[in-house]
Structures are given as structure tokens and as C-alpha cells.
Amino acid sequence: MTGDTVTGMTRYDDDPAGARRAVTVRGLVKHYGETKALNGVDLDVAEGTVMGVLGPNGAGKTTLVRILSTLLAPDAGRATVAGYDVVRQPRQLRRVIGLTGQYASVDEKLSGRENLYLIGRLLDLSRREARARADELLERFSLAEAARRPAHTYSGGMRRRLDLAASMIGRPAVLYLDEPTTGLDPRTRNEVWDEVRSMVGEGVTVLLTTQYMEEAEQLASELTVVDRGQVIARGGIEELKAKVGGRTLRVKPADPRDLAPLAAMLDGLGITGLASPVVDAEDGVLRVPVLSDEQLTAAIGAVTARGITVSSVTTELPSLDEVFLSLTGQRAGRTQDAPAAEAREEAAA
Ligand SMILES: Nc1ncnc2c1ncn2[C@@H]1O[C@H](COP(=O)(O)OP(=O)(O)OP(=O)(O)O)[C@@H](O)[C@H]1O
Ligand SMILES: [Mg+2]
């Protein structure tokens, strides 16, 4: 740790590599009775990046976000945001953050414009400034036409956009997005992602919690995987994929008629521990899960020795879903409303 540097109004911790850190968390602990919601969490988020925090239900994601927003006091450990300590400098800290919570926070009875105006006033903007900021954000989040309608008439996606707009009123340097697209349809999810990307383009640092691996792949540059209050893995997406291991060899014969013989040949080789190849007739490829470099070399060697003309041989890293499953033992994308969705599907079947 070096000393804080002063830049305009915000102060950041410099990390040893010289990159500026927007969020620094060390040994953070929060227990609820017997439940260890956070049990010694460390986290660094570099300025201007998106940190994805992944974890199954109950992992401690919202608890972390609430502590970093000063809504909840930690039992132990230390955290700073833009250089401000969550416990000792809550007022300064609140001025540099924005929060889009897991559950919509808009007032249903008020219109979109009234919601934003109210938040602007709470943030000490003058009446005129609050009106101008509300209109600017309504325009930007494509809510201008619905601006004067009560929020309870908004669709789920419109509410989420209003939430995002609300969290941007104070021009935050650091934005927390707690499962911002849970329950949204794919198209609306894409709209939210576009907004997030454009905020990041303007230099905002984002801490994103999600259970959607696709969301993490789309937005985050670094990932932290938490489970039962602890960090169980961290790194770049490719890095985590490589760490979990288990690549897939993908062979595309020039002639699709070679697919079946190729599969039979590989299956019959007796390479120790090599799983059976899977024929993907649609893509005209053969996929073989490989566990080691030795297996990979033996399989490629066998393919070429056979004299079958291949048009491509590649290896694929596991998907982020597979990485998550392997790390947490749970499937990704499970949300509280999943049982309800399943019940609806079952009822419709
Ligand atoms: N106010 C509270 N009182 C008691 N236990 C709590 C409280 N808030 C959270 N917990 C518990 O702490 C743990 C972490 O909860 P948290 O909400 O942080 O998880 P999460 O990762 O956000 O989960 P989800 O993906 O379901 O939103 C859970 O076991 C939860 O039941
Ligand atoms: Mg949560």
C-alpha cells in the first residue's frame, strides 16, 4: 500500500503496479448469528474497470455491496471506495457512489421524472439542476416518452433503466450493480448492458454482482467468485477457464463422412482416461474432452496418423458456466424466481 493520491475530489489508493484502485477490501467479515455472510473477503477493483462478483444464492454478494455502500457496518476488516473508508468516512463515500440494488427502489406512485427529481434534491441539487439532470437522464435511458407516467405502469426493463438512471444522478465515480438484470428478458438485458458499457466508457468503475455467466462475460474484465462468504477464485475470465482446466479438442474433418470413423478410431485408441468423443453432425465437428497435454498430443497424433484430411483442429476452453459449476458445485443462473418460472413451465406443459 502506498499513500493516497489526491485527484480532484476523489482520493484513490495506488496499487503496487501503479494502477489506481477504486475499491479496496481487506479481510471483510459480517456474521448474522451463526450465518457467516462474509468471512474474510479481499477484493481490489481497478479504476475504470468492471469487476464481476459471481456467486450462488446466499454467497454474500448483497452483503458486500451493502457494506461498500455504507448501508451496513462490517464486523471486522477494512474497505475503502475512492479512498474513503466505509466506516470512518461514510458521508464522503456516499457522494462518490451509485447503487442499483437487487430489488427495484423506485417509488411506484411517482412518475419517472418525479423519482429522478426527488433523488436529485436529496443529493442537494438545486431545483433547476435536479430538473435538468432528471431530463438528461430520462433522455439517455430512453424514458423520455414515459417520463410523466407513474412508475407502476412501467415494464420491468423500464424500471431497471429508471433504477440505473437514479443511480447515475450524482455522477458517481463508482457504481454498484447488484444483479441488475435478474428477471429481465434477453432483449431488455441487452439494453441494460449497453447502458452499463456506455457508463464504463465514461470512466465509471463498476462492481457488478451476477448469477448470469453471460452477463459476466459481456461486461466484466475481472471476476471474483464468492461462495459462503469467502472468495474461492479470482482472475480474468480466460485465466479462470484455464485454471479450472478441462479443455475440449475440436476436430473438423474436411469430409463430414469421416466424422463417425474418426470418432470410432479415437474411442478405440485406449488413451488413458480419455472420454468418448461426441459427434456434432450439425457443425460437422468432433469434440473430445481432454484433461492433459499428453492426451491432447496423443489424440492429435492419432488423427493425423490416420491420414484423414481435417480442415480445422482447435481446443476450446470450458464455458464460464462449467467453470462456475466446477468451483461452486452449483449451476449458474439460479435465481430466487427460478422455482416460480419452473412452476409456470410445468403448469403450462
Ligand atoms: N439481515 C439478515 N439477517 C440474517 N441473515 C442474513 C441477513 N442478510 C443476509 N443474511 C444471510 O447472509 C447470507 C448472505 O446473504 P446475501 O444476501 O449477501 O447473499 P447473496 O449472495 O446476495 O444472495 P442472492 O444471490 O440470493 O442475492 C445468506 O445466508 C443470508 O441468508
Ligand atoms: Mg443478493
Side-chain angles (χ1 to χ4, degrees):
M1 268 284 302
T2 59
D4 294 343
T5 51
V6 181
T7 351
M9 287 200 42
T10 38
R11 294 149 67 243
Y12 292 85
D13 297 333
D14 284 336
D15 73 13
R20 297 207 309 171
R21 238 189 255 142
V23 180
T24 308
V25 174
R26 290 290 175 272
L28 213 57
V29 173
K30 181 75 194 180
H31 292 180
Y32 294 104
E34 293 290 288
T35 308
K36 295 171 175 166
L38 294 180
N39 205 19
V41 166
D42 295 342
L43 184 76
D44 290 315
V45 187
E47 189 191 10
T49 66
V50 181
M51 168 62 80
V53 176
L54 310 179
N57 285 139
K61 304 181 296 295
T62 298
T63 304
L64 175 66
V65 168
R66 288 174 59 85
I67 291 175
L68 293 178
S69 320
T70 76
L71 297 171
L72 195 66
D75 295 340
R78 170 175 176 270
T80 59
V81 181
Y84 297 117
D85 187 280
V86 289
V87 176
R88 287 184 286 115
Q89 298 166 297
R91 282 185 41 243
Q92 293 96 316
L93 193 152
R94 269 180 235 135
R95 263 188 249 128
V96 297
I97 60 164
L99 167 66
T100 295
Q102 186 168 3
Y103 306 101
S105 57
V106 300
D107 187 323
E108 302 267 311
K109 292 188 291 292
L110 300 181
S111 72
R113 190 164 186 264
E114 287 162 344
N115 265 291
L116 298 186
Y117 175 79
L118 189 70
I119 294 163
R121 292 292 286 156
L122 289 171
L123 290 173
D124 287 337
L125 299 185
S126 70
R127 288 194 177 84
R128 191 217 291 230
E129 282 167 338
R131 269 195 296 270
R133 187 80 179 128
D135 288 337
E136 179 193 332
L137 287 165
L138 288 162
E139 190 67 45
R140 157 144 186 208
F141 286 87
S142 313
L143 291 166
E145 281 182 15
R148 283 160 205 277
R149 265 167 40 198
H152 69 79
T153 68
Y154 286 15
S155 69
M158 291 166 79
R159 272 180 221 212
R160 236 37 301 241
R161 293 208 302 274
L162 185 59
D163 267 336
L164 281 177
S167 64
M168 289 299 285
I169 288 184
R171 303 181 196 278
V174 181
L175 181 64
Y176 309 129
L177 302 175
D178 193 8
E179 302 200 23
T181 65
T182 294
L184 296 186
D185 63 52
R187 191 177 61 90
T188 317
R189 190 172 291 168
N190 268 300
E191 287 172 15
V192 172
W193 291 345
D194 284 343
E195 293 300 344
V196 175
R197 281 190 204 101
S198 87
M199 291 187 245
V200 175
E202 288 165 23
V204 177
T205 304
V206 175
L207 184 89
L208 164 83
T209 81
T210 186
Q211 294 190 53
Y212 294 126
M213 298 304 113
E214 193 193 350
E215 181 156 276
E217 297 230 32
Q218 288 279 336
L219 298 178
S221 41
E222 291 281 309
L223 300 179
T224 302
V225 185
V226 290
D227 196 11
R228 283 168 243 169
Q230 286 184 312
V231 174
I232 56 169
R234 66 174 95 237
I237 291 175
E238 299 305 307
E239 200 181 327
L240 287 183
K241 287 178 172 180
K243 212 181 274 178
V244 164
R247 286 157 298 171
T248 302
L249 171 65
R250 188 175 172 280
V251 183
K252 187 180 176 93
D255 185 343
R257 281 172 303 185
D258 284 332
L259 274 174
L262 205 53
M265 185 270 290
L266 281 170
D267 218 8
L269 280 178
I271 301 175
T272 317
L274 190 72
S276 288
V278 178
V279 172
D280 179 345
E282 203 169 310
D283 289 345
V285 299
L286 194 70
R287 290 201 173 79
V288 197
V290 288
L291 295 171
S292 66
D293 289 348
E294 288 70 28
Q295 285 185 352
L296 185 68
T297 314
I300 294 175
V303 170
T304 45
R306 251 309 163 86
I308 292 173
T309 311
V310 293
S311 56
S312 80
V313 178
T314 51
T315 54
E316 289 169 350
L317 287 170
S319 71
L320 201 52
D321 276 304
E322 287 161 345
V323 172
F324 188 83
L325 175 64
S326 137
L327 289 170
T328 66
Q330 296 185 47
R331 291 233 161 262
R334 286 261 144 206
T335 61
Q336 280 102 333
D337 52 22
E342 272 164 28
R344 276 197 299 276
E345 274 168 30
E346 276 167 27

